Amino acid sequence: MGNVWRVPISIEPPADAEPPQRNPKAPAPGERTTSHFEGCRGCGDVPGSLRIRSWVGDDGISVVSRFDVLDEHQGAPGLLHGGMLMTAFDDALGTAYTQVSRSAVTARLETDFRRPVPVGTALWLRSRVDAVVGRKIYVSGDARLGDLDGEVAGTARALFLKVGVEHFLRHGRPEDLEALGASREVIEAARAAH
């Protein structure tokens, strides 16, 4: 079975979970967050990206994000594709974890679709870190139509796992890693150590 999980990964924080502690190097409340990778299809400014913009919430561990739904994002006529909403949640919830940890990857994402999202809508996503247990970061959020008090279009919960740079060196495409400044030798050494 290799890396296949035999038991579903729980996205429910355990009772003994620690409350999240803000990373002192994270952007301050009210500040706009930066794209975690310029080629990201969620928050990067590249063709096909959702171009999500995010700001740190007043509490310093939550994030508010805006996704402008365009024609290129539709699935059914005039409506947002459900996979695009999941991508928006993955990006927004992933931006929230950066308030408590440097890097992590999505282990599980659960989305509930509550109502259709029309093309031309500004979708506002609120994401918060609920708990941290070792390498596990539990995050949840909602998406609202038009503004932060608009109708709920969807909700999501996710589990992210903290990883180091070696994760990306082992699994990323070498040409992308080299474009970010990693040498071929460093990439090959990381892959040989695995």
Side-chain angles (χ1 to χ4, degrees), residues 42-154:
C43 59
D45 189 15
V46 294
S49 167
L50 301 184
R51 291 180 175 81
I52 295 171
R53 297 177 312 278
S54 298
W55 298 264
V56 179
D58 293 339
D59 61 2
I61 56 170
S62 64
V63 170
V64 174
S65 306
R66 180 182 169 132
F67 166 35
D68 293 316
V69 181
L70 306 175
D71 287 338
E72 63 198 50
H73 304 132
Q74 66 185 315
L79 298 174
L80 176 65
H81 188 287
M84 298 284 189
L85 179 56
M86 290 189 77
T87 301
F89 270 127
D90 191 31
D91 195 83
L93 273 62
T95 300
Y97 86 65
T98 64
Q99 293 304 110
V100 301
S101 179
R102 179 101 175 115
S103 66
V105 293
T106 310
R108 183 164 181 204
L109 173 63
E110 181 178 283
T111 303
D112 292 316
F113 302 94
R114 305 275 294 277
R115 89 179 291 300
V117 177
V119 169
T121 300
L123 194 63
W124 287 89
L125 299 98
R126 234 185 319 232
S127 308
R128 66 198 151 278
V129 177
D130 299 316
V132 178
V133 179
R135 289 183 55 215
K136 298 177 180 179
I137 305 169
Y138 298 87
V139 187
S140 62
D142 60 44
R144 294 176 178 265
L145 300 176
D147 59 49
L148 289 170
D149 296 319
E151 286 185 73
V152 176

Side-chain angles (χ1 to χ4, degrees), residues 22-57:
R22 187 174 177 283
N23 180 345
K25 294 181 180 179
E31 285 186 19
R32 176 131 181 239
T33 64
T34 58
S35 174
H36 56 275
F37 169 59
E38 64 186 35
C40 177
R41 296 301 187 244
C43 59
D45 189 15
V46 294
S49 167
L50 301 184
R51 291 180 175 81
I52 295 171
R53 297 177 312 278
S54 298
W55 298 264
V56 179

Side-chain angles (χ1 to χ4, degrees), residues 5-18:
W5 295 89
R6 296 172 200 267
V7 177
I9 302 169
S10 174
I11 55 175
E12 198 63 44
D16 63 346
E18 305 167 19

Side-chain angles (χ1 to χ4, degrees), residues 166 169-171 184-194:
E166 65 279 353
L169 291 171
R170 278 194 295 249
H171 303 290
R184 178 66 67 170
E185 294 80 24
V186 168
I187 297 166
E188 290 173 2
R191 292 177 182 202
H194 186 262

